[in-house]
Amino acid sequence: MPVRSYIQKFRHEFEYHVQAQVLRRGSCCTSASPGMRLRLFIDTMPTVTINQKPIAVPDGTTIIQAAEQLSIEIPRYCYHPGLSVAGSCRMCLVEIEKMPKLQPACNTRVTEGMVVTTNSPKVKEAVSGVLEFLLINHPLDCPVCDQAGECYLQEYYMKFGLYDSRMNENKIKRHKAEPIGPHVILDTERCVCARVVCALSAKSRKATRLAFSTAADSRNPVVARPSTGQQLFRQRGGYLSRWRLDRP
Amino acid sequence: MVGTRLFCVSGHVKTRALTSCPWASLCDRLFTTTAGGIKDDRKLKAVIPGGSSVPILTADEIDVKMDFDSVAAIGSLLGSGGVVVMNEDTCMVKALLRISKFYAHESCGQCTPCREGTTWLKKTLQRVYDGDARREDLDHLLGIAFNMMGNHDLRACRCRCHARPQLYPEVPARV
């Protein structure tokens, strides 16, 4: 009889298994040790090391949030705390020990004992490369751009870029004025962060407002109508419609 | 590994075939016996062992067993088993350009390196193919491919990087 032999030979394993299940259901089990109950019932606080600085954060925190608590700046474009994580701009790549490839910090949750480096030459090279990709089709009209001076493209270029342009091809031309709401016009050539896509596909107005508050003037609060914007993108095509909008 | 695996042999072969071959059968056996050999009895130039997104093999390298480990050991991938055979008349720049066009068109546009990089590679390769290349273009192509490698979310852009070094012998002729 296989059942008999299995249980006879591995009795302790079966017992542990059953006990854990009973505990998980929450019923009182006097025989369980307090330590075991702790492990099963209390949320864990994984300790992560970012640039040699350790920090314990609640389970489910992403690397970018943990780094913020340590005042370590990780460059980002598409990440915004008020929006869902897109993980698309690839500016927040970090090096994680025992992982062969660089990972986006906005989309990777911390685990116990994780060792993260954000300032290694490998990361800097990758960030510089991504920035180059973002800038190859970006118009060079900074002198007439309202955002110039407070522009993360400019800021990160001075920090991570400082290369000579290798782009010998013609830049892609796109719509300069895409109306996406009563008070918002989207310049699809200048737009890089794709937050607008997240905002338009998000349900809440709060998220939308949050997303635009970084880009638009705070004195003229922006309320984009998600449904209108989505329809516009679908009908007219263009840069952002290359994105798949998840919500119908 | 035991059993068989499906391979789709296409390109310059006498009979294009979808065949089920035993694991670790030799790569050249695939198209000399199964697909009837090279079309018009030309010489072999290159083989893509696993679909357009994997590194290409030259004619010297095809003495390889078709299983994951052996193909990986010589720097390519088995992928989906879409074997593409190219004869000596194939222009590798054109072949790469065709593949680049496909991936530039098919990129979903989510991640920056793939979205921007595939188009950039396509444009540069088109220029190289049209005979308007510059000396530094090859280094740029390699540089772009290096930056795309590993920084993307999608398989699509990985291929670009792989196909590149094979291009070297041919491109100077076009510069």
Side-chain angles (χ1 to χ4, degrees):
Chain A
M1 282 290 286
V3 177
R4 202 170 144 197
S5 64
Y6 270 59
I7 297 178
Q8 270 176 352
K9 284 178 186 167
F10 303 104
R11 183 160 191 109
H12 61 285
E13 209 171 296
F14 279 85
E15 272 174 355
Y16 180 84
H17 200 72
V18 171
Q19 211 172 39
Q21 277 185 5
V22 171
L23 274 174
R24 211 173 296 141
R25 268 187 243 122
S27 62
C28 185
C29 182
T30 45
S31 63
S33 65
M36 190 170 172
R37 193 177 281 207
L38 266 180
R39 273 210 303 281
L40 288 166
F41 275 76
I42 294 179
D43 282 344
T44 48
M45 290 276 281
T47 309
V48 56
T49 313
I50 306 177
N51 294 354
Q52 284 94 43
K53 289 182 199 164
I55 186 174
V57 285
D59 212 357
T61 314
T62 54
I63 296 175
I64 209 165
Q65 290 165 339
E68 249 165 33
Q69 290 184 28
L70 284 170
S71 311
I72 294 169
E73 195 203 348
I74 297 176
R76 83 284 300 266
Y77 286 122
C78 68
Y79 173 79
H80 191 283
L83 292 171
S84 60
V85 175
S88 69
C89 73
R90 303 275 141 176
M91 277 299 280
C92 61
L93 289 172
V94 292
E95 198 175 352
I96 301 170
E97 228 177 65
K98 291 173 194 158
M99 283 203 187
K101 290 204 292 183
L102 302 179
Q103 300 290 323
C106 66
N107 209 4
T108 314
R109 295 179 193 284
V110 298
T111 52
E112 179 60 44
M114 190 183 252
V115 180
V116 182
T117 320
T118 69
N119 51 8
S120 66
K122 198 177 164 192
V123 173
K124 279 183 182 157
E125 197 177 352
V127 170
S128 161
V130 172
L131 191 66
E132 187 184 15
F133 282 131
L134 281 165
L135 286 172
I136 53 171
N137 287 312
H138 196 80
L140 283 172
D141 58 357
C142 299
V144 294
C145 179
D146 294 338
Q147 198 65 32
E150 291 179 291
C151 170
Y152 278 106
L153 279 171
Q154 291 178 335
E155 196 174 300
Y156 289 154
Y157 176 77
M158 297 310 285
K159 220 181 229 178
F160 303 104
L162 291 178
Y163 51 79
D164 291 327
S165 175
R166 297 189 288 180
M167 181 71 170
N168 291 323
E169 328 302 325
N170 293 329
K171 288 183 186 244
I172 297 172
K173 299 276 177 215
R174 302 183 200 278
H175 290 169
K176 288 302 273 186
E178 190 82 33
I180 56 166
H183 304 295
V184 190
I185 282 176
L186 176 69
D187 184 335
T188 48
E189 277 186 342
R190 285 182 188 160
C191 171
V192 288
C193 67
R195 277 179 197 162
V196 62
V197 180
C198 303
L200 291 171
S201 57
K203 259 186 185 162
S204 76
R205 252 162 192 237
K206 195 183 159 199
T208 317
R209 225 177 281 138
L210 255 174
F212 281 112
S213 64
T214 50
D217 188 348
S218 55
R219 282 168 302 177
N220 299 316
V222 166
V223 183
R225 285 177 305 199
S227 57
T228 323
Q230 265 187 36
Q231 281 161 9
L232 273 172
F233 281 133
R234 291 232 169 130
Q235 284 161 10
R236 299 197 181 169
Y239 184 67
L240 286 161
S241 69
R242 294 187 67 189
W243 262 72
R244 233 177 22 199
L245 294 174
D246 287 327
R247 217 174 288 280
Chain B
M1 270 181 264
V2 289
T4 60
R5 151 138 218 205
L6 273 182
F7 287 102
C8 171
V9 188
S10 62
H12 297 138
V13 285
K14 277 180 183 150
T15 38
R16 293 165 195 167
L18 177 66
T19 58
S20 179
C21 284
W23 275 107
S25 54
L26 282 176
C27 178
D28 53 352
R29 251 185 80 89
L30 258 183
F31 54 86
T32 48
T33 57
T34 317
I38 315 288
K39 210 178 188 175
D40 303 331
D41 297 320
R42 310 304 299 246
K43 267 165 65 185
L44 179 74
K45 186 170 196 177
V47 176
I48 302 175
S52 67
S53 66
V54 307
I56 196 166
L57 297 181
T58 56
D60 314 333
E61 291 172 321
I62 55 152
D63 195 19
V64 65
K65 285 179 184 171
M66 290 297 261
D67 63 51
F68 288 118
D69 296 337
S70 315
V71 178
I74 59 166
S76 186
L77 296 160
L78 204 47
S80 55
V83 181
V84 181
V85 181
M86 301 180 194
N87 72 10
E88 56 184 335
D89 295 339
T90 315
C91 170
M92 296 316 267
V93 181
K94 193 177 179 184
L96 186 62
L97 174 64
R98 183 66 195 83
I99 295 173
S100 298
K101 274 185 181 168
F102 171 76
Y103 285 104
H105 184 262
E106 290 299 311
S107 169
C108 85
Q110 188 191 340
C111 305
T112 311
C114 177
R115 181 185 62 232
E116 307 290 344
T118 47
T119 321
W120 191 4
L121 286 178
K122 183 193 81 176
K123 282 180 176 173
T124 311
L125 278 167
Q126 181 75 58
R127 211 154 40 73
V128 172
Y129 181 67
D130 290 344
D132 193 19
R134 295 159 209 207
R135 217 16 92 173
E136 67 270 18
D137 274 348
L138 284 186
D139 291 331
H140 286 182
L141 284 169
L142 289 167
I144 301 164
F146 179 80
N147 277 343
M148 287 166 75
M149 186 79 178
N151 297 346
H152 55 83
D153 209 7
L154 313 149
R155 266 193 88 78
C157 60
R158 191 141 102 202
C159 62
R160 339 280 42 224
C161 332
H162 290 320
R164 197 63 10 78
Q166 308 293 341
L167 208 152
Y168 251 125
E170 282 226 355
V171 172
R174 291 196 161 269
V175 172

